Structure formats: C-alpha cells, structure tokens
Amino acid sequence: LVYYRGLGVFAMGETLQIAKTALSLYLDEVSISVYAKSFGGVSLMPADLTNFIVNWEAESCRTKVSSTDSVAKRLDKKVSIVTGAAQGFGKGIAEELYKEGATIIIADMNLPLAESVAKELGERAWAIAVNVSDEESCANMVAQVVEKFGGLDIMVANAGVVRSGPIAEFEKKDFDFVTAINYTGLFLTCKYAAIIMEAQHEADPTAMFDIIAMSSKSGLEGSNKNFAYAGSKFGGIGLTQSFALELCPYNIKVNAICPGNYLDGPLWSDPVRGLFVQYLQAGKVPGAKTVEDVRRFYEAKAPMNRGCLPIDVARAVMYCVEQKYETGQAIPVTGGQVMLH
C-alpha cells in the first residue's frame, strides 16, 4: 500500500485480487482505529487471552493446515491457461496442473461446462469463454486473465477438433473448420500469449515462460483418411519451431506435445461424433464391424497396449515448464507407437 496525503491510497499486489484484499484490510484497520478512539483508545489483550487464542484447538488445527498448504508445489503461482479444458485431454491436463499448485484458467467455447470444471477444481481455477479461431476472442481471453491474475506464465494451446473421411468425399467446409481451430487457433493463442510474456520479460529478464502446443502423433506421421487433422497438426509443429526461434530471446520456451490416442476421451468415444464411429463409417479399419473392433485395433498399435491418458500428457507439460534448455521440440507421448528418428 502507498498513502499520499490529500490524494488517496494505492493498493498493489501480484494480482488484482491480492491488491483488493490489501486495500480491504487497510480500510478495516482504519475503521478499527477510529472506533477504538471512541472507546478511549487501543487496549491490548491480557497475556492469558492471547495464549488461549493461540493454543485454542480450532486455531491450532487451522495453523497446521495452513502450514501444510504452504509447502511449495511444482507449479506454485504459475498462472496457466488451458484452452479446450472443459472436457477430454484439456480437462485432465488442467486437473493435474492444478494439483501441482498452478492457477488454472479453464478456457472453452462451452462456458457453462468450463464453469462447472472450475468449480470442481477449487479456488485457484477460473472459467472463461473463448473461440480460439476468433482473434478478438483470443485477445479478450488473455486480457481478462492478465487483469485478474496479474500476468501469464503458461499457455497450453489444447483446443482442437477432428473431421475425418476419404479425400473424394471430404467437404471443404469441414477442412476449413479443422484448419481454423487447430492451425489458425494455435497462431492466435500463441500471438496474444507472446505479447504479454514479452512485456513480462522486459519487467523481469530472469523470468521464464512457456507456450505448449498440443499436437498429436498425427503431427509426426500421416494419418489415413484423416488428412485435415494430420495436416493441421504437422502445420502446428512448424509454427512451434518458428515461434521458438523468434521468442527464445524473451525466455519464452515454445514446445509441442504429441499424444497418442486418448481412447477414453470424448474425441474418440462420443457415440455420435467420436472417432470410433467416424473411423468405422469411413472404413478406416479393415474388417471392423463395431466400434469395439476399432478400439481394439488402436489399442494394439501401441507397444504398451493402451491408450494415452491425461496424466501422461500432464507430465510432459510439467517437463516442458521445469526444464530450462529445450525449445522448439515435438515430444511424443505415444506409448511407443511413434518413435522419433
């Protein structure tokens, strides 16, 4: 707090909420001081009452809990946006980062669902609506986060969509839709995250920041009858490498994570638009007659004989944040299905 006689009081803090809390406490203190004078001045509590409060069972328990909560976690105080975090990989990543102490912004087109996820996570989570293919929406998302939390440390560009089918039958509107979300959306989220992170670097040249693009194993090798998705993910890795070169002088690391198939997530298992259904209808899996046939086919592709899980990807995200000497990388998390050459 800074007080200027005849001008007013100015509250400052790492975030807007911290500044508001500091101002509120100051005003309470002023009120107490004024009221105390009307009762003859400040009167200190006797030692026996002070000892009672300090050693009171409830207060002792609160102090212990507070002490436990204060133990530093891996991502303490890291302000982190996860786009497309209301469900699927995004939700799972957000949950794991939250456990490690990060402040999580659940950014999604489905605001009610995002708000439900944020409420479920706890007080360090906040929901905001965003359409990553719309520039104004992306700019507004980052601006609101900076206003509320005082900055941005991690941008996880996770939002993505899939449309699959044979090239001769694939419609341009579906191709444009995938490209707008997966490729253009990555550009826009990176752009507005970078603007803020560059400014923060100017204020603190020792600080480091992370932009993490959620690519796919289909960004490392082609995908049969899934060219729109694979093409957007290949392009996303090109953006990742290029942004990494440009932003490295500002201590902004830019990496991509290439997960294997999250077979339990809605992208695959949705009974209407899920990939199991799409791939069955497209005839992508020879001889498959049911979605279970398609699932078993994709499980068998990974040497570890299972699909990728959000915790697997979250660990890769945390690696990106904690390491200080890698940028522009595309990190496979595929259970051995795709190996780098």
Side-chain angles (χ1 to χ4, degrees):
L1 287 165
V2 178
Y3 171 72
Y4 287 93
R5 185 182 296 275
L7 185 59
V9 177
F10 298 86
M12 296 171 287
E14 290 185 1
T15 69
L16 179 62
Q17 186 57 48
I18 290 174
K20 286 182 177 179
T21 300
L23 180 61
S24 177
L25 291 172
Y26 172 78
L27 295 176
D28 284 347
E29 186 177 350
V30 171
S31 297
I32 291 169
S33 178
V34 171
Y35 293 141
K37 284 185 178 180
S38 67
F39 287 95
V42 175
S43 178
L44 299 177
M45 284 193 304
D48 59 332
L49 286 179
T50 301
N51 289 333
F52 170 76
I53 291 174
V54 170
N55 296 305
W56 182 35
E57 184 177 352
E59 178 64 16
S60 178
C61 178
R62 185 200 66 77
T63 301
K64 288 179 181 177
V65 171
S66 176
S67 175
T68 300
D69 288 344
S70 67
V71 175
K73 296 181 179 179
R74 296 171 71 183
L75 301 180
D76 256 2
K77 298 182 179 178
K78 294 284 189 182
V79 178
S80 312
I81 295 175
V82 183
T83 64
Q87 59 181 332
F89 259 143
K91 179 174 183 287
I93 292 167
E95 289 170 343
E96 296 300 329
L97 300 188
Y98 187 90
K99 291 176 186 176
E100 294 296 338
T103 296
I104 297 293
I105 293 84
I106 309 295
D108 203 283
M109 289 187 70
N110 188 336
L111 183 58
L113 188 57
E115 289 173 335
S116 175
V117 172
K119 183 178 180 181
E120 179 184 318
L121 284 178
E123 62 182 7
R124 283 184 284 104
W126 186 60
I128 187 169
V130 68
N131 174 359
V132 297
S133 67
D134 179 81
E135 184 160 12
E136 183 178 351
S137 182
C138 288
N140 180 63
M141 169 185 67
V142 173
Q144 287 193 49
V145 168
V146 173
E147 179 181 354
K148 184 173 180 65
F149 298 102
L152 176 62
D153 300 295
I154 303 169
M155 168 66 82
V156 181
N158 168 77
V161 294
V162 175
R163 292 288 185 272
S164 62
I167 185 171
E169 300 172 14
F170 205 77
E171 296 188 20
K172 181 178 179 294
K173 65 180 178 62
D174 291 325
F175 187 88
D176 290 342
F177 173 66
V178 172
T179 303
I181 300 295
N182 295 3
Y183 186 72
T184 305
L186 175 59
F187 155 64
L188 292 174
T189 51
C190 288
K191 173 182 176 178
Y192 287 97
I195 290 171
I196 293 302
M197 291 173 178
E198 286 183 22
Q200 291 176 139
H201 170 76
E202 185 175 349
D204 181 5
T206 66
M208 299 197 79
F209 310 96
D210 286 274
I211 295 174
I212 300 167
M214 204 53 56
S215 183
S216 166
K217 66 175 181 56
S218 296
L220 298 174
E221 63 177 18
S223 183
N224 183 27
K225 296 186 178 69
N226 195 25
F227 53 87
Y229 180 77
S232 69
K233 294 301 183 178
F234 266 85
I237 291 176
L239 292 181
T240 296
Q241 293 180 357
S242 301
F243 294 154
L245 293 172
E246 179 180 346
L247 300 176
C248 195
Y250 304 98
N251 281 353
I252 303 170
K253 293 174 281 146
V254 186
N255 290 289
I257 295 172
C258 303
N261 301 321
Y262 180 24
L263 301 178
D264 297 321
L267 181 67
W268 281 84
S269 61
D270 183 274
V272 177
R273 293 296 302 170
L275 291 182
F276 289 137
V277 173
Q278 289 191 52
Y279 288 174
L280 180 65
Q281 293 173 346
K284 186 172 178 180
V285 178
K289 300 188 184 317
T290 67
V291 292
E292 282 303 314
D293 293 337
V294 179
R295 182 186 180 97
R296 284 193 292 271
F297 176 83
Y298 280 97
E299 285 176 338
K301 280 180 170 288
M304 291 193 174
N305 204 38
R306 69 168 174 85
C308 185
L309 298 174
I311 182 62
D312 301 318
V313 180
R315 286 170 178 152
V317 171
M318 285 183 273
Y319 163 75
C320 289
V321 174
E322 290 178 327
Q323 59 81 26
K324 307 298 181 186
Y325 195 61
E326 285 295 349
T327 192
Q329 302 303 316
I331 303 167
V333 185
T334 67
Q337 182 176 346
V338 177
M339 300 182 185
L340 295 182
H341 299 288

